[in-house]
Structure formats: structure tokens, C-alpha cells
């Protein structure tokens, strides 16, 4: 039965060893992992953990860049005027009283596993600044800034970076992975809020630039070049260790030790059959791969499932531009032809991949310990514009959660009659991050330390306790 809840009261250095090695042409190792992997130990690794908190061992964030429309997904308005409701109809879901957009029939059948937040709000209508808030839980300074770039004062770490600091990982795989690429605006402008920020580069999530749907997909970092057999790899590792001994006499600051650790992890990954298996989609039966859909997003979601199954704590799957996207309405940024683009390019692969993920996790007994978050940087405008599209809208939009201890079959909060503003149960991004951390076993007031040693809490939001 559908239940609706309102929210409660809201109460550095000079030349580094890495640079020296690059200058010394040690790139002949054929490795790019050392630049990606960072040390996972941190003094806050177990801070804030309590047996009473969190069922989730891992989290998968599905980030639909561009702003998915609330009206055609989780919050249809069938009684609103045509210029508001659009030409797509709502359909019944598996939960009595919960209607969703007609283009998500597979997810509708799994609504009993989902909790819908219908009153999420940033009041920020710019992709990059609203996205920064959603990805970090801290508002961009100032808000409503398009084409914002990374850097102070907007250098709060992303979810993956904080999780990497909070959890030691399993020793072989990175604690946090982002795939199949980073998020960027037109012109290749990278959004802020996707790295470790003030935590330092050692906490950056592992960014995979890849297309898991490609027939020849493989992770280059996990394969030795053909000209480097295992014996030569071991010889090169010995050479690197000798170089390190000499450099240790130059710099005793601790940065060198961090680089040593990264390099060891790189070699360990290369030798780890477990790591190679986790990234090998060819091990999946064809029927399973087809269930997710052979799109880049679908296969990225499948890869995310394999990674959390192998022990990665947080995987963020970004829906980013493809070669078919046009600048007028790329990704979910449907300023024109909203309905047509949803029907043909967006909703079918999303519905297929998301439903496959929930079904797959449930069948494997992993859903209770894996939190799935469906989100974007904002929603779309209530009124359809002259180009038959919907524009940026941060005033109210929907986010969906499943698994990880969240109770399915419910709606938290509500928008007004046209889906334009929160009516009750407003949720801000910091409340969402606080809730994600709660699921993972960390109180919002858990402290992390920046590179200057200053303590900072991981979230200033309130946990949505009503949804558990």
C-alpha cells in the first residue's frame, strides 16, 4: 500500500615523485593506474560507525545528467492542463496509489522496491552549480552559475571521495569508481564536485573512461601490454623500487610513501584475478547482458553491479553525452522535443537498465545491502515551452531510492498541483547525502580532515528517517 510521509523538523609540494617518474619516462610500464589509485587508509576509516546504522555495504548512484523531467517519470500530473502534463500518460505501478510515467513500465512493476522523494529542491537552475550541490551535499557559492569549474571555494569532496576516506576497501579494488566518464557541459567544461576537493587527490574516486557496450571492451589498466610479459613486469617493479630508494633520500615528507603505496596497488591490481574478473563483462551470460540493454548506460549499470559484488563501496554511473546527442537537447536536457526524445532515446534504455539492476540485485540477495540512488542535478519546468521542450527547474524534482535498508513502496513528500514547487516534505541535497551516509553506516556528523588537518563533518543534512 502506498504511504506518503512529510519531512520532520530540520533541526603540496614541489616536484613530486609521480612527476619525476613521468619525466624519467617510466611510462614504459604501460600503467596508468598509479595515477588513478590512491592510498585508502585514513584515520577516519571507522569514525562514526555504529551497528545500529546502515544496512548497505555498497551504493550505486545512477546520475542522469541534464535533468530528468519529474512529470514524465516519478511525479505525473494527469489533472493539470495539457501544457503542464504533456502528451505522455501516467500508468499504474505495482504499488496501489503510485502512478509513474508511461515510458517506465518495467520500473513500474518494481515500484514495491522503490522509495520516491517527490519534493527534492535546490532552487538552482544551472546544471553545474545545482549538480555540485547534488553530488556533494553542499551548495555552490554562488548558486545559479552555469559552466562553473572545479576549485575553491567550491571544493567540497564528492560522495565517492568521502566514502573512499571513510572505508578502507578490500585491498585490491578501489573503494569508489566513477564510469563511463566524468560529467561535463557543452564545450567540455568539467563540473565541480566530482573529485576529492579539499581532501586531496589521494581520495579521488577512480574515474573510468570507457564504453562497456563496445564489443572489444576491456580496462587497459588491468591488462599487461603484449610486449611486457609477467617476468619483465616483475623486473620493472624491481627497477621502480630501486628508483624509490634513491628518491626517499630526497623527500621525507610522506608524499613519497603515498606514491609507493599507489604503485604497489597498481601492481597488485594487475596480478589480481579477482579484479580482472570484476571488470570482465564477457563472463556474464548473454541473456543477462541483454536484460540490461546493450547501450553504454545499460552495460555501465551492469558493470556497476559486478563491481559492488566484488567489494567496491560506491559506484557512480553517469549518463553523459553520446555521439548522437545534439547541442539543442543533449542527454536529459530536453529544451526541445521533450516527448519525442523521451520516447526514442532516453526512457527505454533507462527503464530497461534500472529494472534489470533492481531485479538482478534482488535475485542475487544483494538488494538489501546495496543502496541504489536514481537522480539528476534538477528537474524540468512544469510548463512546456514553444519548442515542445521543458527547461531547467531546480525548484522541485524527484529522486528515487531502493535497497540498502530503505522501505520500498512509498512516497516521501509531494509537489504542488503542477509539479512546480514543494508542497510538503521538502528535501535538500544535504538531506539526501546524510541519508546515503546513514545507509552506509555513518552519522552525518562524522568528521573528515582536509589536507590542513581541519575537521569537517561529512553532511549538514538531516537523515530521512521516515523512509526506513
Amino acid at each position: 500500500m502506498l504511504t506518503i510521509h512529510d519531512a520532520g523538523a530540520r533541526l603540496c609540494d614541489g616536484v613530486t615523485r609521480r612527476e619525476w617518474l613521468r619525466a624519467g619516462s617510466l611510462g614504459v610500464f604501460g600503467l596508468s593506474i598509479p595515477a588513478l589509485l590512491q592510498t585508502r587508509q585514513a584515520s577516519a576509516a571507522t569514525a562514526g560507525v555504529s551497528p545500529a546504522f546502515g544496512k548497505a555495504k555498497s551504493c550505486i548512484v545512477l546520475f542522469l545528467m541534464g535533468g530528468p523531467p519529474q512529470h514524465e517519470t516519478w511525479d505525473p500530473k494527469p489533472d493539470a492542463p495539457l501544457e503542464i502534463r504533456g502528451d505522455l500518460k501516467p500508468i499504474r505501478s505495482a504499488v496501489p496509489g503510485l502512478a509513474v510515467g508511461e515510458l517506465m513500465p518495467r520500473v513500474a512493476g518494481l515500484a514495491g522496491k522503490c522509495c520516491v522523494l517527490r519534493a527534492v529542491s535546490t532552487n538552482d537552475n544551472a546544471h553545474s552549480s545545482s549538480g555540485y550541490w547534488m553530488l556533494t551535499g553542499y551548495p555552490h557559492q554562488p548558486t545559479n552559475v552555469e559552466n562553473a569549474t572545479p576549485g575553491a571555494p567550491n571544493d567540497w569532496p564528492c560522495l565517492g571521495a568521502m566514502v573512499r576516506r571513510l572505508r578502507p576497501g578490500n585491498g585490491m579494488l578501489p573503494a569508489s569508481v566513477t564510469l563511463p566518464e566524468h560529467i561535463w557541459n557543452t564545450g567540455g567544461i568539467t563540473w565541480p564536485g566530482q573529485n576529492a576537493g579539499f581532501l586531496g587527490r589521494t581520495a579521488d574516486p577512480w574515474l573510468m573512461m570507457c564504453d562497456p557496450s563496445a564489443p572489444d571492451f576491456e580496462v587497459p589498466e588491468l591488462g599487461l601490454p603484449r610486449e611486457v610479459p609477467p617476468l619483465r613486469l616483475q623486473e620493472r617493479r624491481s627497477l621502480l623500487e630501486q628508483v624509490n630508494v634513491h628518491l626517499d633520500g630526497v623527500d621525507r615528507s610522506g608524499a613519497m610513501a603515498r606514491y609507493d603505496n599507489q604503485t604497489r596497488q597498481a601492481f597488485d591490481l594487475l596480478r589480481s584475478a579477482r579484479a580482472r574478473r570484476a571488470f570482465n563483462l564477457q563472463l556474464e551470460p548473454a541473456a543477462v547482458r541483454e536484460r540490461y540493454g546493450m547501450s553504454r548506460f545499460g552495460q555501465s549499470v551492469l558493470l556497476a553491479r559486478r563491481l559492488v559484488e566484488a567489494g567496491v563501496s560506491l559506484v557512480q554511473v553517469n549518463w553523459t553525452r553520446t555521439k548522437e546527442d545534439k547541442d539543442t537537447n543533449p542527454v536529459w536536457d530536453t529544451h526541445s522535443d521533450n516527448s519525442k526524445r523521451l520516447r526514442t532515446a532516453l526512457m527505454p534504455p533507462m527503464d530497461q537498465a534500472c529494472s534489470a539492476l533492481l531485479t538482478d540485485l534482488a535475485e542475487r540477495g544483494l538488494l538489501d545491502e546495496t543502496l541504489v540512488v536514481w537522480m539528476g542535478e534538477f528537474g524540468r519546468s512544469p510548463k512546456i515551452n514553444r519548442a515542445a521542450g521543458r527547461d531547467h527547474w531546480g525548484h522541485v524534482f524527484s529522486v528515487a531510492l531502493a535497497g540498502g535498508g530503505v522501505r520500498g513502496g512509498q512516497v516521501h513528500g509531494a509537489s504542488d498541483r503542477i509539479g512546480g514547487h514543494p508542497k510538503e516534505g521538502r528535501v535538500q541535497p544535504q538531506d539526501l547525502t546524510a541519508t546515503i551516509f546513514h545507509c552506509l553506516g555513518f552519522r552525518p556528523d562524522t568528521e573528515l580532515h582536509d589536507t590542513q588537518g581541519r575537521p569537517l563533518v561529512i553532511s549538514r543534512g538531516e537523515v530521512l528517517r521516515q523512509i526506513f
Side-chain angles (χ1 to χ4, degrees):
M1 192 67 178
L2 174 67
T3 55
I4 300 178
H5 297 288
D6 192 1
R10 293 188 183 279
L11 295 157
C12 271
D13 53 41
V15 177
T16 66
R17 176 177 299 181
R18 182 182 307 174
E19 292 164 343
W20 193 95
L21 289 174
R22 283 184 184 142
S25 299
L26 288 181
V28 293
F29 279 91
L31 299 176
S32 55
I33 293 183
L36 298 172
L37 294 179
Q38 309 289 346
T39 182
R40 310 173 81 158
Q41 291 75 31
S43 59
T46 58
V49 180
S50 165
F53 283 71
K55 292 183 64 176
K57 294 180 180 178
S58 55
C59 176
I60 297 175
V61 176
L62 307 176
F63 196 92
L64 310 184
M65 186 263 176
Q70 63 273 23
H71 297 79
E72 285 88 4
T73 55
W74 297 104
D75 195 10
K77 299 295 181 181
D79 298 325
L82 179 61
E83 66 270 21
I84 300 295
R85 70 174 185 267
D87 63 343
L88 296 174
K89 306 292 192 296
I91 58 173
R92 295 178 179 178
S93 74
V95 177
L98 173 59
V100 298
E102 68 172 83
L103 298 180
M104 44 196 299
R106 302 186 190 197
V107 169
L110 298 168
K113 304 182 185 301
C114 302
C115 171
V116 182
L117 311 180
R118 278 184 170 166
V120 183
S121 178
T122 64
N123 287 326
D124 190 327
N125 292 334
H127 289 291
S128 47
S129 57
S130 189
Y132 174 85
W133 197 352
M134 292 297 292
L135 291 168
T136 66
Y138 281 75
H140 191 273
Q141 301 177 39
T143 59
N144 288 287
V145 176
E146 199 56 275
N147 294 328
T149 55
N154 299 295
D155 58 355
W156 196 270
C158 64
L159 279 168
M162 288 188 276
V163 167
R164 187 167 188 182
R165 272 285 190 257
L166 291 166
R167 287 192 167 174
N170 64 15
M172 285 295 178
L173 288 164
S176 301
V177 174
T178 299
L179 57 95
E181 66 171 337
H182 62 296
I183 305 169
W184 49 276
N185 273 11
T186 299
I189 302 172
T190 300
W191 284 14
Q194 299 186 75
N195 58 24
F198 63 66
L199 290 180
R201 298 285 73 81
T202 56
D204 278 346
W206 182 9
L207 173 61
M208 288 181 60
M209 304 288 283
C210 62
D211 182 359
S213 68
D216 57 349
F217 167 68
E218 62 179 17
V219 181
E221 291 83 3
L222 293 182
L224 284 175
R226 293 178 180 177
E227 69 274 13
V228 184
L231 180 59
R232 286 184 64 193
L233 176 69
Q234 187 58 38
E235 291 172 349
R236 292 181 179 189
R237 179 173 187 171
S238 176
L239 172 62
L240 181 60
E241 289 172 349
Q242 293 176 50
V243 172
N244 288 346
V245 169
H246 290 288
L247 289 178
D248 284 342
V250 178
D251 186 350
R252 300 289 182 179
S253 67
M256 299 303 189
R258 287 196 296 273
Y259 184 81
D260 285 343
N261 190 45
Q262 296 166 33
T263 305
R264 282 194 298 270
Q265 290 184 56
F267 279 103
D268 288 343
L269 262 175
L270 280 170
R271 296 182 303 169
S272 168
R274 180 181 180 184
R276 291 195 299 272
R277 283 196 302 271
F279 288 97
N280 189 355
L281 288 178
Q282 299 298 327
L283 296 177
E284 289 288 338
V288 173
R289 297 195 67 179
E290 290 168 3
R291 179 197 292 181
Y292 280 81
M294 296 307 296
S295 65
R296 184 180 66 162
F297 181 72
Q299 295 302 292
S300 295
V301 174
L302 173 56
L303 182 55
R305 189 224 79 202
R306 291 183 62 83
L307 291 175
V308 300
E309 198 170 25
V312 177
S313 292
L314 188 141
V315 182
Q316 179 172 319
V317 179
N318 294 327
W319 185 307
T320 53
R321 296 191 189 207
T322 65
K323 60 183 179 182
E324 291 81 17
D325 284 356
K326 299 178 181 178
D327 286 346
T328 53
N329 56 2
V331 287
W332 293 80
D333 196 22
T334 55
H335 288 288
S336 63
D337 296 325
N338 176 69
S339 178
K340 178 181 178 181
R341 185 144 172 80
L342 291 174
R343 289 181 186 276
T344 59
L346 299 173
M347 294 296 287
M350 183 280 290
D351 186 49
Q352 182 174 5
C354 292
S355 60
L357 177 64
L358 296 181
T359 301
D360 208 358
L361 289 173
E363 290 176 350
R364 293 168 180 270
L366 296 173
L367 187 57
D368 284 346
E369 60 186 46
T370 305
L371 177 67
V372 178
V373 183
W374 183 103
M375 64 188 285
E377 67 269 34
F378 46 44
R380 310 305 299 182
S381 59
K383 188 173 182 179
I384 297 173
N385 63 29
R386 293 181 179 179
R390 294 187 189 271
D391 299 315
H392 301 180
W393 200 258
H395 303 293
V396 74
F397 52 100
S398 297
V399 168
L401 309 173
V406 172
R407 182 161 48 85
Q410 61 173 325
V411 170
H412 176 91
S415 65
D416 61 20
R417 65 182 185 84
I418 64 169
H421 292 87
K423 180 181 178 181
E424 58 186 22
R426 182 176 184 236
V427 172
Q428 291 185 287
Q430 60 267 31
D431 304 319
L432 179 60
T433 59
T435 301
I436 292 172
F437 286 126
H438 177 83
C439 289
L440 290 170
F442 299 96
R443 297 190 304 268
D445 61 356
T446 300
E447 290 184 350
L448 290 177
H449 293 80
D450 65 11
T451 54
Q452 306 299 316
R454 295 171 296 188
L456 296 153
V457 297
I458 59 176
S459 176
R460 292 199 175 101
E462 293 293 322
V463 175
L464 305 176
R465 300 184 183 276
Q466 303 94 323
I467 71 174
F468 294 96

